């Protein structure tokens, strides 16, 4: 008896959820780079990272999914939003930041996407990997992180803290001069 090989034409429930989460991730990533509001772009980035974490959950990589949520959604996007708010960066559209190369950028992006999709489909059109839960690897990953990568991890945390302190210092307007502001009595009133 021959065993039937599953096809991409008859997807399982897990594959459908994976494809939907992938579509949400790609759609929100497109909104990140096309929206005119900087804060909205950061929020769409949260949606994209969340959908990617959902893809990891479907692939039974729970540890990587939670790391995605904690590090990227919880830290990087929050740091980005704090940086935007504390430096009082312009939030709306700025004409001086537009180079006018939208058509060229669109053509290059579409050509690159078409090339990547063509290569992936050509290379993997007959490959099939069932989504089956495997043994968890959180213990091995945790041991590797805290044995081999603890120094770079701590150095990165100090760097991010320094960047946050720098953003706070740059955004403060009350420390621009050493002299105290004039009062009504010093003006002669």
């Amino acid at each position: 008896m021959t065993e039937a090989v599953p096809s991409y034409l008859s997807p399982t429930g897990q594959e459908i959820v994976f494809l939907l989460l992938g579509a949400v991730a790609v759609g929100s990533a497109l909104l990140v780079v096309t929206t005119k509001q900087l804060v909205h772009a950061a929020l769409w980035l949260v949606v994209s990272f969340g959908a990617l974490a959902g893809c990891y959950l479907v692939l039974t990589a729970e540890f990587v999914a939670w790391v995605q949520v904690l590090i990227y959604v919880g830290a990087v996007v929050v740091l980005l939003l704090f940086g935007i708010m504390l430096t009082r960066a312009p939030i709306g559209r700025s004409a001086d930041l537009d180079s006018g190369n939208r058509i060229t950028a669109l053509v290059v992006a579409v050509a690159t996407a078409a090339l990547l999709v063509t290569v992936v489909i050509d290379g993997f059109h007959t490959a099939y990997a069932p989504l089956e839960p495997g043994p968890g690897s959180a213990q091995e990953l945790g041991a590797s992180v805290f044995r081999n990568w603890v120094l770079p991890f701590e150095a990165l945390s100090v760097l991010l803290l320094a960047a946050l302190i720098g953003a706070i210092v740059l955004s403060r307007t009350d420390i621009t001069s050493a002299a105290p502001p004039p009062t009504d009595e010093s003006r002669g009133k």
Side-chain angles (χ1 to χ4, degrees):
M1 229 181 188
T2 61
E3 186 177 320
V5 176
S7 169
Y8 64 89
L9 296 176
S10 59
T12 63
Q14 283 180 316
E15 292 169 342
I16 291 172
V17 170
F18 184 80
L19 289 172
L20 289 175
L21 286 170
V24 168
V26 169
S28 57
L30 285 173
L31 287 169
V32 167
V33 297
T34 58
T35 187
K36 296 178 182 177
Q37 299 289 331
L38 191 57
V39 175
H40 292 174
L43 295 176
W44 282 117
L45 190 62
V46 169
V47 174
S48 181
F49 285 158
L52 188 59
C55 288
Y56 289 139
L57 281 176
V58 171
L59 294 173
T60 65
E62 293 87 5
F63 179 76
V64 179
W66 285 114
V67 167
Q68 173 80 17
V69 169
L70 290 174
I71 301 298
Y72 287 104
V73 175
V76 171
V77 173
V78 169
L79 185 65
L80 176 71
L81 287 173
F82 272 124
I84 291 169
M85 289 186 288
L86 290 175
T87 59
R88 295 189 182 113
I91 295 175
R93 185 177 177 149
S94 179
D96 59 340
L97 296 178
D98 193 3
S99 67
N101 293 329
R102 290 176 188 245
I103 303 297
T104 306
L106 181 65
V107 168
V108 169
V110 169
T112 304
L115 178 69
L116 289 173
V117 168
T118 303
V119 167
V120 168
I121 288 176
D122 187 46
F124 297 103
H125 70 280
T126 59
Y128 179 79
L131 297 176
E132 296 174 1
S137 62
Q139 184 176 3
E140 293 85 12
L141 283 171
S144 174
V145 165
F146 288 111
R147 281 192 192 121
N148 304 331
W149 299 101
V150 70
L151 185 61
F153 181 77
E154 291 300 325
L156 182 63
S157 65
V158 170
L159 178 70
L160 290 174
L161 178 64
L164 185 60
I165 291 171
I168 291 170
V169 168
L170 288 175
S171 68
R172 295 201 44 190
T173 58
D174 59 340
I175 57 172
T176 56
S177 65
T183 60
D184 289 338
E185 295 172 359
S186 64
R187 290 184 200 149
K189 290 188 178 180

